[in-house]
Structures are given as structure tokens and as C-alpha cells.
Amino acid sequence: MSTTHSPYAHGPASVRATMFRVLAALVPALAVLVWYSQGAILLPLVLSSAACLALEAVCLKLRARPWRNDGSALLTAWLLTLCLPVVTPWWLVLTTALIAIVFAKHLYGGLGQNPFNPAMAAFCVAIVAAPGIMAQHLPPHAMSTLEQIRIILGLDAREVLDGIASATPLNALSNALHHDDTHAADFADTLATPLALICAYALGGLWLVRARIIDWRTPLVFLATLFLLATLPWWIAPARYPSPLFHLLHPSTMLAAFFILTDPVTGCTTARGKCLLAACAALIVWLIRSHGAYPDGIAFSVLLMNFCAPFIDLHTQPKAFGHER
Amino acid sequence: MQPAPYSFPGGIHPETHKALTREAAIAPAPLPAQLFVPLQEKGRAPGRIVVRAGERVLKGQKLAEPADALGAAMHAPTSGEVRAIAPHPLAQADGGEGLCAHIVPDGKEEWTPHAPFDLQSATHEAALRHLRDSGIVGLGGAAFPSHIKLGDGHQIHTLVLNGAECEPWITCDERLMREQATAILRGAQILAQLAGAAEIRVGIEDNKPEALAAMEVASAGQANVQVFSVPTRYPAGGEKQLIESLTGIRIPAGRYGPQYGVQCFNVGTAHAVARAIDHGEPLISRVVTLTGAVRRPANVEALIGTPIADLLALAEPENNVTRTLLGGPMMGVALPNLAAPLPKHGNCLIAASDALFPPRPAPSPCIRCTACAQACPQRLQPFELYWFAHARAFDKLARYRLFDCIECGACAWVCPANLPLVDYYRFAKDAIRTQERERRAADSARERFEWRSFRLAREKEEKAARLKARAAETLSQMNNEGAPPDAGSADKQALIAAAVARAAAQKAAAETPPPPTEEPPQP
């Protein structure tokens, strides 16, 4: 293809700039998590970033493609770090990086060609393969930095955290629902804890909306649908169903709304398709959280909707200019 | 002046770079040493040439008549000698050649006799013919003959006058509006009268407040004229985009304005129409913006056929110029040969340097960010078209309306992956057209073959019928001569006998040399 034809001018946009702005939007959330974990999260962050970048470089080399510092591998690494518990052992961090970059991305042809969100695909493998480890979400300030690092590096033989792990709201809720003895409202106090994190995600996300890097439809429709879906059952049977606020104020909800479902490669491209995809994702999240065996349904929901995206796109094509009627 | 009542989808906001030339008043370009007047418009058949090499021509004298319905005449831009009528490089991207009249000016600028055209007493046909004979074509870029766009004088109710000039760098229309608003509106009134349009709507981008004011002042007292300011957003001056902005009418691809009661003309075209009617002057010059990496950016009134190199030299290009663009950076073409002459649609020359137009970085994979879909004024899905063009899925391209693409370049401008999207669409359109042509050729070959087979079979049948009829005739003759009207076998024997007799007669004739004038024997 010759590039000697019009247009000769080009706007300021680049893939690299886009990716780095998304990374920048994640910085507030990471900062909050650094505070929560007393700095321990920096270890899996560095580990995952280094692994993803190295694997990206190797894959591009093997595929005889030029190395581009387009930021996409780094973004995958950061999303993975945000999804995994801070005290995930190093080998699982590396394994998820391998699955995300090699299996979910480059085996399909690399950037732009992957049908599934690499971070979510890797997260799903981890949650299915190591559900115990993946349940070890710590509440803020629960452990000292050194303790956490020892666990990550496998130096601490303790089978960690039985007491602490279930303290996160979703795990607690899951337990409660299965034992059928606790009122969901009892978790109101645990809600307060990740509020800073939720705000950080929303802040970064809204900045991306404003910068027109992500479409406003996806977060709005996702959050609104989840809210509406959760309201009716909770209103009828508040003892059996968690409140809509609980759904909305969960960090993973915000992460999905602004940073996961908005992935352009694996999502829908048409305006109507984006709305439909976000609404269906909310439905699946609510179903899994309310009735499923896993504490959180975000990753499964995203992957299921990744399956549907091409089909939705195909049937939501807009009418071209002048062909409206 | 009022804001445009409607809007169009998509669009982009590139840096306009118009400050360089928007205060440069139109100055006449000096007479060049030689001219190469193209005798055909972009992509059309050359006209019927009415001058010969060696002939002296006067300014405004007709050089070529339109060859077909889609043509317009070409004229000598100045007086001088026609040195040759020969192929010469044209101002187009492929550097192809076309028939040009090589004229060496004599410097006298001696006009051919010309007179104002009496519009009031002329018929509609005569007026259109006059425009065609004056070589009036769209000066906005398409160079489409104006008389064809006017229709039969009954369909069009609104005439849209395009002064949007949305392409970056170009200011020739802005200058013309600021300096010649009255003449432009006079031309628009003529066009409206010929089109039968009751209303004229002028659209100008709001980054040209002086032009808006000038047109507003000039239109005072003309009740059928409204001047609209259009938000500055490329491609606001696209014909169909401007029609929608001013009238709310959306014209789909493949359809034309008159079917919807509107038609669009560029302000430069309207100005040329006024010259042609009120002064009888054919279209022999136009305003050209000279800009880019030049020491003296300018707007000049240049003769059609002036070599590009001569024009560019007036602006004194910098040393770092790497290529020359004809038209704007969004839809213009890079000229491979500066000996090419200025065509009627040549609105701007940009001396492009790498500093002003950095080379495109290598493209990276599409991430389906849909920035292109948001920028597309035709509401297409450019990234889908790109995937399908890349995969050569031509049937899908048609379904996703590739041929609605106006190649405005907005998608490629916003693409973060730097993909040369428009190049892919041009390639796919070409490939599909070629495929279609080949299919048609194969179809017509097959039809020809089938027709031939049918014709041969029919001729055979007809011959058999003819023979049978003749046999019956012979038979009845013989019967009349007295042979018994017997059964079929008797008929046959009679026929055989007759045939034997004919053969014997032929043999006898062959043995004696036939007279030279004799007809050859019938089979």
C-alpha cells in the first residue's frame, strides 16, 4: 500500500498515546491500592509488567513483527494486577501474564485480533484453577508489607488467611447466601472500606470519557442496568438479595464499567451494540453474583459477551448517510 | 447572517493554516512564457479541437468544443501562437498525459470579439449552451460542467452556494467572497434563474467572519438570498454535507441534488458564470492559493494552463520542499510533474515540506477504536471497510456501502493506528470496478456467443424452410405441366428428375466457358 495519496495531514492520535492515557487513568486506583496494601502491590505490579512486556517482545520476535512500545502489554499487566489479589504467589502472577499475552493475544494474531479480553481470559483461568488463592482479597491494611511480600514470594509457608480472606464483601456475601443465615445488610460496614478505590476508578474512567477515549454509553448502560436489575429482587426479598448499592459500589463493578467492557478490540463497535453488550454484561454479572458458585461474575460475564460482540455488531450496523429510510 | 439550521454527522477539526494567506489579496499572476491548456476535463474524453498547430489565437478564442454531453468548451487564455496540440503531463496523481494546446503568448492580450449574453430574451437551452460554450465547470474541485447540473429548469427549488472552503490551507474562495461578493451573488442569481430555484442559501464556515460579512452586505436587498454561517468542521464544504447543513435534505450516494429539489455550486463557479453572462468572457482563469513552505504565500488569479512550476515560483518555495500538492491536504494530490498545467479545478498549490507534513509513521494494527466511524460524515464504518478491503471481501464491501465513501480522508486523519484507510478504499473501489467490467465483458461475450448460436440455428431452419418451399413450388409447377398428381413417391421422383435435368444443364454450362457477365450459378 502506497502512502503517497491523500490525506497528507494526520491528527495527533496514536495507539500508543491512547494506551498510555488509559494507563494514566488507572494511576489513581493503583495509588489507592498501594495505600491499602502498604506498598505490597508494587511487587506483583512490577512482576506482571516485566513478564507481559518480555512475553510481548518474544512473541513479536517469533512472529517477525517489529517491536512497538504501544503500551498494550503494559495495560494488560496493570489490569491483571488490579484483578488479582495482592498476595497472589509469584508463579500465578507469571502464569496469568503468560496466558494473557501468549494464549489470549498472540496466538490469535496479536494486538487488535484477539476476540477475548486477555486480562479477563487469564483471570478466568486463574479463578477456575486456583479458587482458593483467588479468594484471598485482603481488606485494607490487614497485613504488614513484609508479610505480604513473603507470601507472594512463597517464603511464608502459612496456608494463609482463612480468617482474613472472607472479609471482602463479595466473598462474605457469597458465604452468607450459601449459608442462608445472614442479612445482606450486615455487610454495610464492609462497603465503606473500598470507597476510595471506587472513587479512584470512577475518577479515571470519567476522565477517559471526557477525553473521548472510551464511549460514555458502556459505563452508563452497564451501571444503570446493574442497578435496575438489582433493585427489584432486593425490594421484594431484601434478605435474599444484596442491595443495588452493594453491586454498584463494588470495586470490580467500576473496573469493569470503565476499563474492561470498554476494551475496543473485544467489545462492540456500533453505538447500539455497545449499549446492548453493556446491558447483557450487567445481567450476567447480577446472575452470577446472586445465583452462581463464584463470588464475582465480572470476568465470566465479559468473556461471554466477547463471544457475542461480533454477532451484535453484525446486527446493529447503523444506516449510512442518506439511507436512513 | 444566521447559523446553519441543520448539521451533518462526523467530521474533524484539523489545523486550518489559513492565516498564512487569508489576508493576501488576489493579485493577477504575470503572463507565463508558455501555456499548456488541457483540452479535456478530469477523466473525460478530449473535446473536438477547433484550432490547428501554427494558428494564431486570440484571448478567449475557443480551442475545443465539448465532445459529448458531459463536456464543456476550452478556450485560449491569452492571445498568441498555438505551437502544438500534443500530449502533455496533466496535474494528476498518476502523472498521466493528456492532449494540451501549447500556446506561446504574444503579450498583447488581444481579446476575441465577445459580448454580454442576453439572458432575458434567450431560451433556457440557449443559456445552457452559452455556459457550456463558455467552458463553465465546477471550480470547487470536481470540474463538473455547470450546465448539466442545472437540469431542465423545473426540479430545483433551492440553490446552495458553497463558500464553506473547509479544506485546510486554501483561502481562494474566502478571498473571492471578500473581494467579489457582488459578482458572486450575481452569478448565483443567474444560476438560480436558470435552475428555476426560488431561494439561494449561501454556506460559509464561521472561521471566515469577513467573508460572511461581505456576502451579507452584498446580499442586502436580495430577498431570496440567505447567508448562513456553518460551524468550522471538515468536511462542512462537502456538497452533500453542506446541502444537509443548510436545507436538512440528506442525499444518498448515487442520487443527485435535483431529484431532491436542491443543487450546489461553488462561489468561484458563480463568479465565473457572472463573467460569462454579463461580459461574455469564457472561463480562462481562476484564483489559486499558493501556500505551504513558501516565502511569499499568495492568492493569484492565474490563467488556466499556466505551468504549475511557474505558479509555484511566484511564491518562492523554501529549499526543504519535498513535494507539491494540488488542492488541500485532505483530498488533494501530490503532483509528480510540475510541468503540468493549472487545471480549472486547481484551487490551491501547497509546497509541502517534511516539517509541515511529517511522513506518516508506519501503520500499526487496527484496534477497532471506532474513531474513524465517529469522524465519517457518511456514517460508514471505516474500520469494517478496512478489514474487508484487506481481506478482499468485495461482496461485503458493497453491503457496508463502500461506494458511499466520498474519500474525504477524515477517517485516516483520526486513525490512531495511522492506517492509510482511504488508500484501501481506492484500491477496493478500483478492484470492484475492474471486476464488474470484466464480468460485463464476459457476459456480453457469452451473450454474443449465444446470439450467434441462435442466429446460426435460425438461419439453418430458415434455409430448410426456404428449400422446402421452393421444392413445393417446383413440384406444383411440374404438376401444372401435366405430371400425374400422384402419391408422395411420384412427387419425389419428379423432384429427382428435375434435379437431374438441372445438373445436366449445369454440367453442359460448365463445359462451355460462361460469358464473363454471367451471374454465378445458384446453388
Side-chain angles (χ1 to χ4, degrees):
Chain A
M1 273 297 157
S2 145
T3 55
T4 56
H5 298 112
S6 65
Y8 299 96
H10 191 269
S14 75
V15 172
R16 188 188 143 95
T18 305
M19 295 288 179
F20 276 90
R21 276 159 104 176
V22 178
L23 287 168
L26 284 172
V27 166
L30 270 174
V32 171
L33 282 171
V34 167
W35 173 49
Y36 280 1
S37 67
Q38 301 174 59
I41 196 172
L42 291 174
L43 179 58
L45 182 71
V46 168
L47 211 55
S48 189
S49 301
C52 283
L53 285 172
L55 287 165
E56 173 91 357
V58 169
C59 285
L60 285 172
K61 180 99 183 154
L62 289 175
R63 294 176 55 224
R65 298 291 196 281
W67 161 253
R68 280 191 208 91
N69 186 16
D70 58 25
S72 64
L74 202 58
L75 182 58
T76 302
W78 283 30
L79 290 174
L80 268 174
T81 309
L82 291 169
C83 295
L84 297 175
V86 174
V87 287
T88 305
W90 62 271
W91 53 268
L92 190 55
V93 171
L94 296 187
T95 309
T96 51
L98 181 80
I99 292 164
I101 298 294
V102 178
F103 288 83
K105 187 176 176 188
H106 281 286
L107 290 192
Y108 284 100
L111 179 65
Q113 309 275 345
N114 49 302
F116 305 109
N117 186 310
M120 288 299 103
F123 182 84
C124 280
V125 171
I127 207 169
V128 171
I133 295 171
M134 295 300 283
Q136 296 176 349
H137 278 284
L138 293 177
H141 320 297
M143 257 181 167
S144 77
T145 314
L146 197 65
E147 271 181 300
Q148 293 180 70
I149 288 173
R150 285 176 63 84
I151 294 168
I152 294 166
L153 294 178
L155 302 174
D156 196 332
R158 261 196 301 169
E159 273 302 318
V160 215
L161 308 175
D162 261 350
I164 309 166
S166 58
T168 71
L170 275 175
N171 287 311
L173 173 77
S174 182
N175 285 344
L177 290 179
H178 290 157
H179 297 127
D180 211 13
D181 57 1
T182 321
H183 195 285
D186 288 352
F187 304 105
D189 56 334
T190 56
L191 279 184
T193 46
L195 214 55
L197 185 56
I198 292 159
C199 292
Y201 280 134
L203 191 74
L206 289 172
W207 178 65
L208 289 181
V209 170
R210 196 165 161 274
R212 289 178 169 245
I213 292 197
I214 62 174
D215 193 283
W216 55 271
R217 292 176 184 88
T218 301
L220 183 72
V221 173
F222 178 74
L223 296 175
T225 310
L226 191 58
F227 182 81
L228 292 175
L229 276 175
T231 303
L232 192 66
W234 169 76
W235 186 58
I236 295 169
R240 280 199 50 83
Y241 292 96
S243 79
L245 226 54
F246 166 84
H247 279 286
L248 287 196
L249 293 183
H250 193 276
S252 72
T253 306
M254 287 295 161
L255 181 63
F258 288 102
F259 295 93
I260 306 284
L261 285 165
T262 49
D263 172 19
V265 176
T266 58
C268 279
T269 54
T270 64
R272 283 186 297 155
K274 280 173 181 160
C275 295
L276 192 60
L277 183 134
C280 292
L283 173 68
I284 299 171
V285 167
W286 179 80
L287 281 174
I288 295 177
R289 281 184 184 173
S290 305
H291 300 285
Y294 287 94
D296 196 2
I298 295 284
F300 294 112
S301 166
V302 169
L303 284 198
L304 278 171
M305 291 322 293
N306 289 168
F307 277 109
C308 304
F311 180 80
I312 296 175
D313 272 348
L314 189 65
H315 292 280
T316 53
Q317 285 297 313
K319 293 264 193 286
F321 183 89
H323 296 285
E324 287 82 1
R325 265 160 294 170
Chain B
M1 185 190 14
Q2 46 192 314
Y6 303 94
S7 182
F8 66 94
I12 54 171
H13 297 96
E15 185 78 53
T16 69
H17 297 283
K18 288 183 195 273
L20 223 58
T21 51
R22 61 193 302 262
E23 294 308 326
I26 302 168
L31 197 62
Q34 45 188 351
L35 290 151
F36 294 88
V37 184
L39 297 174
Q40 73 224 71
E41 281 308 331
K42 262 206 300 204
R44 300 204 184 96
R48 204 150 25 80
I49 294 149
V50 294
V51 291
R52 277 191 308 275
E55 200 174 314
R56 178 167 190 265
V57 289
L58 297 177
K59 183 171 182 146
Q61 186 179 331
K62 200 182 282 179
L63 298 175
E65 304 252 9
D68 53 20
L70 280 180
M74 300 300 282
H75 302 81
T78 184
S79 60
E81 189 199 335
V82 178
R83 277 290 159 79
I85 294 187
H88 187 80
L90 295 181
Q92 50 199 34
D94 60 8
E97 296 195 335
L99 218 49
C100 292
H102 177 189
I103 297 174
V104 177
D106 57 14
K108 294 178 188 155
E109 296 270 43
E110 194 180 329
W111 268 96
T112 191
H114 59 287
F117 183 79
D118 183 1
L119 197 60
Q120 300 317 318
S121 57
T123 62
H124 186 253
E125 287 72 31
L128 295 193
R129 210 178 315 122
H130 179 71
L131 291 186
R132 189 192 65 175
D133 289 344
S134 301
I136 306 292
V137 298
L139 298 189
F144 196 79
S146 301
H147 65 278
I148 295 169
K149 289 176 76 176
L150 286 166
D152 59 9
H154 299 294
Q155 292 166 296
I156 298 164
H157 55 69
T158 304
L159 194 117
V160 168
L161 195 57
N162 191 345
E165 199 162 56
C166 58
E167 270 256 17
W169 296 91
I170 310 176
T171 58
C172 63
D173 287 352
E174 174 178 2
R175 284 314 308 181
L176 198 66
M177 286 187 285
R178 284 166 72 172
E179 298 177 30
Q180 300 285 340
T182 310
I184 290 170
L185 285 174
R186 165 69 185 145
Q189 291 289 8
I190 294 167
L191 287 167
Q193 186 189 331
L194 291 175
E199 207 186 332
I200 297 171
R201 296 189 172 201
V202 188
I204 302 168
E205 272 193 348
D206 59 10
N207 61 358
K208 303 182 241 308
E210 296 90 346
L212 275 161
M215 293 294 279
E216 184 71 24
V217 168
S219 69
Q222 301 183 35
N224 64 338
V225 179
Q226 281 175 287
V227 180
F228 292 94
S229 82
V230 180
T232 300
R233 173 166 47 114
Y234 178 85
E239 190 169 66
K240 288 175 177 177
Q241 279 68 36
L242 189 67
I243 287 175
E244 188 188 10
S245 294
L246 299 193
T247 67
I249 297 168
R250 281 194 172 181
I251 304 171
R255 302 296 199 84
Y256 298 98
Q259 294 168 287
Y260 294 78
V262 288
Q263 190 55 284
C264 182
F265 289 94
N266 170 265
V267 288
T269 313
H271 182 252
V273 167
R275 299 298 303 176
I277 298 291
D278 291 347
H279 304 270
E281 290 176 9
L283 176 50
I284 52 170
S285 67
R286 67 156 301 142
V287 184
V288 189
T289 302
L290 308 175
T291 186
V294 293
R295 276 181 279 273
R296 306 180 65 165
N299 280 295
V300 296
E301 167 133 25
L303 299 179
I304 306 300
T306 308
I308 301 285
D310 290 10
L311 281 176
L312 212 57
L314 299 176
E316 298 176 14
E318 309 270 2
N319 296 328
N320 61 352
V321 169
T322 50
R323 57 189 167 181
T324 302
L325 308 183
L326 177 75
M330 297 305 295
M331 294 186 75
V333 294
L335 296 175
N337 190 339
L338 297 188
L342 177 73
K344 286 182 181 175
H345 61 273
N347 50 7
C348 180
L349 288 171
I350 304 176
S353 64
D354 283 352
L356 292 173
F357 297 92
R360 233 168 210 278
S364 60
C366 169
I367 56 166
R368 301 165 67 87
C369 68
T370 68
C372 51
Q374 283 155 42
C376 180
Q378 292 291 97
R379 280 251 199 99
L380 303 175
Q381 301 276 297
F383 60 95
E384 301 277 21
L385 293 174
Y386 158 72
W387 288 103
F388 294 141
H390 200 261
R392 302 184 180 220
F394 294 148
D395 52 330
K396 292 236 177 59
L397 283 169
R399 209 166 341 123
Y400 280 74
R401 298 202 183 275
L402 171 67
F403 283 95
D404 281 39
C405 167
I406 58 173
E407 297 178 22
C408 69
C411 53
W413 189 85
V414 296
C415 181
N418 259 306
L419 291 162
L421 294 169
V422 187
D423 285 0
Y424 278 92
Y425 309 148
R426 288 195 193 101
F427 153 77
K429 282 178 181 175
D430 265 7
I432 291 173
R433 286 197 192 108
T434 307
Q435 214 176 41
E436 189 65 16
R437 224 173 9 248
E438 279 165 6
R439 194 184 55 76
R440 268 206 300 276
D443 278 356
S444 67
R446 182 170 47 74
E447 271 165 28
R448 270 202 309 280
F449 172 75
E450 283 170 357
W451 171 245
R452 183 169 179 273
S453 309
F454 167 76
R455 183 170 53 81
L456 290 178
R458 191 188 60 190
E459 279 170 3
K460 202 170 163 190
E461 268 172 33
E462 282 173 357
K463 195 172 170 186
R466 218 166 39 238
L467 283 176
K468 205 171 165 190
R470 201 190 292 167
E473 201 181 314
T474 316
L475 199 63
S476 70
Q477 268 176 16
M478 282 168 60
N479 286 348
N480 292 347
E481 281 160 16
D486 216 51
S489 64
D491 291 357
K492 213 177 254 177
Q493 278 175 2
L495 277 175
I496 293 167
V500 169
R502 256 199 327 271
Q506 273 175 4
K507 200 174 171 191
E511 276 165 5
T512 58
T517 55
E518 204 189 353
E519 295 271 314
Q522 291 295 314

